[in-house]
Amino acid sequence: MTQLENRRKMEALLTVCFHGERHNASKQGIDGLVMDNNSPASAAPDLDEISEERLLLERLRGIEDDLTGVYSIHIRLSALRPGNRKPHFTRIAVRAFDFVTENFDATLYEFSNCDLLLLCNYVPIEEVDPSISKVRALFSEDPLTKAEEGSKDDIFATWYDLAQEEDYENFIALITDLEAEAEERRKRTAEDKAAEKYRYLPGVPLDPSNLAAINDIMSESRISDLIQLQSAIQIKPKAKGKLLFREHYVSMTGLQKRVAPDVNLFGSVWLFQYLTETLDRRVLAVIGRRDFSALDSPISLNLNLSTILSKEFQKFHQSVEENAFKVVVELQMIDIFTDMGGYFYARDFLKELGYRVLVDGVNPLSLQYFKPGVLKADFVKIGWGREFLSEIPGANKNEMQDVMDRTGKSKIILGRVDTEKAVEWALNFGISRFQGHYIDTIVDAMRAKEII
Amino acid sequence: MARAPDSHKMLPSQENLLVDYVRRLEDHKEGRKALHIKLSALKPYNRREQHVRAAANNFEPFIKDLDGQLFSLKNSDFFFIYKQDIQSALDTLVQQVRYMFSDDPLFEKGVDKDHGDFTDWYDAEADFDKILKLVQRLAEAEHRRQEETHDKRQNTRSALKARQEKGDPLTPEVLGRVETSLSRADLSNLVRRQFVCLINKQMTPEQRFSELYISIKDLRETLLPGVNLLSNPWLFQHLTETLDRRMLAMLSKTDTLTISGDISFNMNVSTLLAAEFLNFDDNITAARRGAMIIEVQKQDIFADIGAYLFAREFVHEKGYRVCLDGLSYKTLSMVDRERLGVDFVKLVWDPEMGDQNEEEKEKFVEEINKIGRGRVILCRVDNREAIDFGKSMGIELFQGRFVENLIAENNRRFELLRLKRRMERSEMHEG
């Protein structure tokens, strides 16, 4: 089924008056079979928890005798990048259909996987188009919406002419599958959910009322055992590797379990940042106890700008002193943007003492909107994202190359590398510095062969 | 979120208007006289506002008939310039005014009619130079007095600021308390307004839109004297989310804030995506959306660029315009206005901008042109230097204390023009 053809057919159908084009007997037979096999209609529904998917199936059942003029559009919000699949985004997207549902015989179903489905009965297509365009525009930065509308690559919005036998079958199959998935999802535990959601930790959000207590607990809890290590390496020709530094970071899941099991520490961006200031001081105290002259490979630490100018950092520096070249300070973009003047000051201050400065928190998307080269740091860590690959091949290559060149290839570290593809992609741009789960396995292998 | 500091509006003073009027009188002094009534010589309890107003009311008939012009000075004195035809009627009037204050010790010693302690009479033709000198002296005295009080106020403010900067830092507990009390408080008396203006070669400001903001300084003074709300950027940022909701509530009630023209206001990206904004949006007309500009802070945009892009698309589609706030000349080159899809960019004035070398300045001009000259707003402009520099770099839009002063100055010019027209009318009447 090509979507474009489908659209045209439907437009033709709806502009001409269409009567008598009904399904023949054999089709009805097939439809009936499909419904009987897959519809969970026979199972007694829990009245309190009837899913939207189920509601739609029931509705279809009620109108299946005459589907003339009935069509549907499936908007696959579930295929958006995780960061775009947030409930408040969906809430706004739903509003784009208010006009259609209020003025025509159209119903919007919000599926539990956050897909939207609009069921229309004799609604002029030109009245529906603007709503679809609006939603597409809202997510215009997501690769999913890049394909030309109505083309066969367009998986964002799929149109079904339910008066057409083939479309109807596909449609019923789709909704039935989605209904089954919804049921599955409902049964799944909160623990599983945590894995699929973006920066999701369970619990009530952080707010000023619980912040003070958490902050106090954090100042007194043991954190040394929550500090984890990850290596950043440079891949050299002949499959050799060089260790750049080992990042020392606090496991957030572990921290939350220890200091506030019922509170989602990521619940408020700003309040989370506030907590990291306390965390910095704790980390500096723990790491500062090391003997830096005996340190055989450099380390990196995540710190806030405000921490750099604090007493705790001064104390830390007293223990580091001439070994400052072994310490890389990682600063977050959000912190830098909040106080750019403070960043320039802290960067110069750190460099003068001999530390190296790394700018962290850059991702494929943000890279398109600002040029990190201006920050003149020693390293810029760019988080790997599949967006780098899913773009139309070659489309952004020149631009990306330009950003890389301006920043300086030798300064870029590709972080969050979890697949070999990421390494291949980066090597093409001349990037040879990496960090991430996939790199951890390479480091282990290299250690075994003693080539690092 | 950085909210612009308050501005002090300068209204055209009667003293300045008087000097200007007397200068113009030089060509029309024939048949005109001047009367100086020194209410300043009365005891303070006799020259309260209502007394002065009552005394001034006596002159109304003359003013209506274009027989004279009254200036009511800051020190309570009157200066009345009139046509000699009304001399006898004016004598009666002065007697009435004197009678009003007859219980004042001034009149106990029996004051002299001409050149006395209460009234001075002048002939415009014979005493022109004397009159001009006198009014100039009065204007200077008033100007000095204003500067002194301004300095005093500045000193109080800077002392207060210094105290607050050293003041207790904002803690989560205090933040929680503040946010709870804010959620119920009516903040309309803390809302300030500052204009964004196009400024032409003659330094005449042309208002484009005005920013409405909650004065953080006054909020602090009202709610939490001694607590430095800005001591922690993250806690402050969280507080602005609460302020956003209060602002939306005020904007929804048109009777709370009287707003004319296009307006802008600060919002967090998180607020734009929250139920409060959706409700606000539901309740305003499409025309009003077109007259609103939403200001978003740069750190908020980059904290979650995906959320920003989504929110921007949403508000643009609704008809609002978006302004990226808080850029410095150092960060200007880092952002791509077109890509970010913002309509305006606010650049914070910093005297260091003028210290850039030629090459840096050229680059700067290039950045301005790339963003679009009509889209860059140089804000926190507090002196003439900022405007001169901005204009030399191609910037057209300005905002800040100095711009507010220019607006006041411009209003004064209009007032003078009005007076001049009045004089001309009176001459025509005479002729």
Side-chain angles (χ1 to χ4, degrees), chain B residues 105-156:
Chain B
L106 180 69
F107 298 105
E108 280 171 12
K109 44 186 178 175
V111 290
D112 169 16
K113 189 186 170 190
D114 283 299
H115 299 277
D117 296 334
F118 189 57
T119 49
D120 278 329
W121 302 80
Y122 300 94
D123 181 83
E125 250 188 305
D127 310 319
F128 181 79
D129 291 344
K130 213 190 260 178
I131 298 173
L132 184 62
K133 263 190 201 130
L134 173 67
V135 299
Q136 280 172 338
R137 219 174 54 230
L138 287 168
E140 273 162 31
E142 172 53 22
H143 186 67
R144 262 200 313 280
R145 197 192 59 79
Q146 258 186 11
E147 286 216 318
E148 274 164 26
T149 41
H150 183 68
D151 280 356
K152 229 181 268 167
R153 206 182 306 143
Q154 285 288 89
N155 287 343
T156 322

Side-chain angles (χ1 to χ4, degrees), chain A residues 81 83-84 86 88-93 95 134 137-141 198 206-209 211-213 215-216 268-271 273-274 276-277 304 306 333-341 344 361 363 365-372 374-375 396 399, chain B residues 170-173 175-177 179 232-235 237-238 240-241 268 270 272-275 277-279 281-282 298-300 302-315 317-318 326-328 330-331 333-336 338-341 367 370:
Chain A
R81 289 196 315 245
N84 280 330
K86 295 173 187 161
H88 52 289
F89 285 15
T90 314
R91 202 166 56 221
I92 287 170
R95 295 162 68 96
K134 269 187 209 174
L138 284 174
F139 298 103
S140 58
E141 288 308 319
Y198 175 71
L206 198 59
D207 71 40
S209 65
L211 181 63
N215 202 39
D216 288 348
S268 156
V269 187
W270 310 120
L271 300 185
Q273 283 299 128
Y274 176 80
T276 62
E277 292 182 347
N304 280 278
S306 57
M333 274 313 303
I334 182 173
D335 198 15
I336 295 173
F337 266 112
T338 300
D339 182 5
M340 194 65 69
F344 288 121
N363 59 48
L365 189 59
S366 62
L367 207 53
Q368 293 176 38
Y369 291 90
F370 90 101
K371 304 161 193 107
V374 192
L375 296 175
N396 284 333
E399 200 173 345
Chain B
L170 181 62
T171 61
E173 292 95 336
L175 178 68
R177 274 212 312 277
E179 289 187 352
N232 185 289
W234 312 122
L235 297 184
Q237 200 71 41
H238 193 268
T240 63
E241 291 178 352
N268 281 277
S270 58
L272 295 177
L273 299 172
F277 184 78
L278 302 187
N279 289 340
D281 178 69
D282 279 343
K298 63 173 190 314
Q299 65 265 34
D300 196 18
F302 289 104
D304 184 351
I305 197 145
Y308 159 73
L309 293 169
F310 184 91
R312 181 216 60 200
E313 196 59 51
F314 169 59
V315 299
E317 196 272 319
K318 289 279 182 184
L327 289 182
S328 74
K330 285 180 181 162
T331 51
S333 62
M334 284 179 67
V335 299
D336 187 333
E338 226 177 316
R339 275 217 165 161
L340 285 173
E367 294 294 340
K370 203 178 135 219

Side-chain angles (χ1 to χ4, degrees), chain A residues 284-285 288 310-321:
Chain A
L284 284 178
S310 69
K311 280 199 306 284
E312 286 81 1
F313 188 80
Q314 271 174 27
K315 212 174 154 207
F316 173 78
H317 182 65
Q318 280 165 13
S319 125
V320 177
E321 283 202 317

Side-chain angles (χ1 to χ4, degrees), chain A residues 242-442:
Chain A
K242 181 192 161 199
L243 183 68
L244 292 171
F245 55 78
R246 279 164 156 174
E247 179 175 348
H248 287 52
Y249 64 96
V250 176
S251 151
M252 281 302 143
T253 326
L255 182 72
Q256 171 162 337
K257 262 187 201 151
R258 182 160 304 168
V259 303
D262 306 324
V263 180
N264 175 7
L265 296 185
F266 293 130
S268 156
V269 187
W270 310 120
L271 300 185
F272 174 74
Q273 283 299 128
Y274 176 80
L275 282 184
T276 62
E277 292 182 347
T278 304
L279 197 57
D280 282 358
R281 285 184 210 113
R282 306 280 295 129
V283 169
L284 284 178
V286 172
I287 307 281
R289 287 199 288 266
R290 301 235 172 125
D291 177 4
F292 285 87
S293 60
L295 206 65
D296 56 358
S297 62
I299 64 163
S300 82
L301 298 175
N302 291 280
L303 296 176
N304 280 278
L305 286 176
S306 57
T307 308
I308 309 295
L309 305 172
S310 69
K311 280 199 306 284
E312 286 81 1
F313 188 80
Q314 271 174 27
K315 212 174 154 207
F316 173 78
H317 182 65
Q318 280 165 13
S319 125
V320 177
E321 283 202 317
E322 74 276 7
N323 294 301
F325 68 95
K326 291 181 186 171
V327 181
V328 177
V329 175
E330 303 204 12
L331 299 168
Q332 289 292 325
M333 274 313 303
I334 182 173
D335 198 15
I336 295 173
F337 266 112
T338 300
D339 182 5
M340 194 65 69
Y343 164 75
F344 288 121
Y345 182 83
R347 178 201 62 192
D348 293 345
F349 172 77
L350 286 171
K351 284 188 167 188
E352 204 147 291
L353 293 176
Y355 295 91
R356 282 176 294 168
V357 175
L358 181 149
V359 172
D360 192 13
V362 183
N363 59 48
L365 189 59
S366 62
L367 207 53
Q368 293 176 38
Y369 291 90
F370 90 101
K371 304 161 193 107
V374 192
L375 296 175
K376 296 198 166 56
D378 297 291
F379 297 109
V380 174
K381 199 191 280 182
I382 301 172
W384 165 255
R386 65 185 168 97
E387 306 73 319
F388 277 137
L389 287 178
S390 58
E391 301 290 342
I392 302 151
N396 284 333
K397 192 160 189 266
N398 290 342
E399 200 173 345
M400 201 51 79
Q401 187 73 61
D402 188 49
V403 174
M404 306 284 179
D405 290 347
R406 275 168 193 256
T407 312
K409 278 173 219 149
S410 60
K411 288 183 171 185
I412 296 178
I413 297 170
L414 191 68
R416 296 183 187 229
V417 171
D418 51 9
T419 143
E420 192 179 344
K421 273 198 180 125
V423 178
E424 274 170 29
W425 177 87
L427 288 171
N428 279 331
F429 282 106
I431 296 169
S432 60
R433 289 163 178 80
F434 301 94
Q435 189 183 354
H437 293 314
Y438 176 70
I439 300 303
D440 294 343
T441 61
I442 294 187

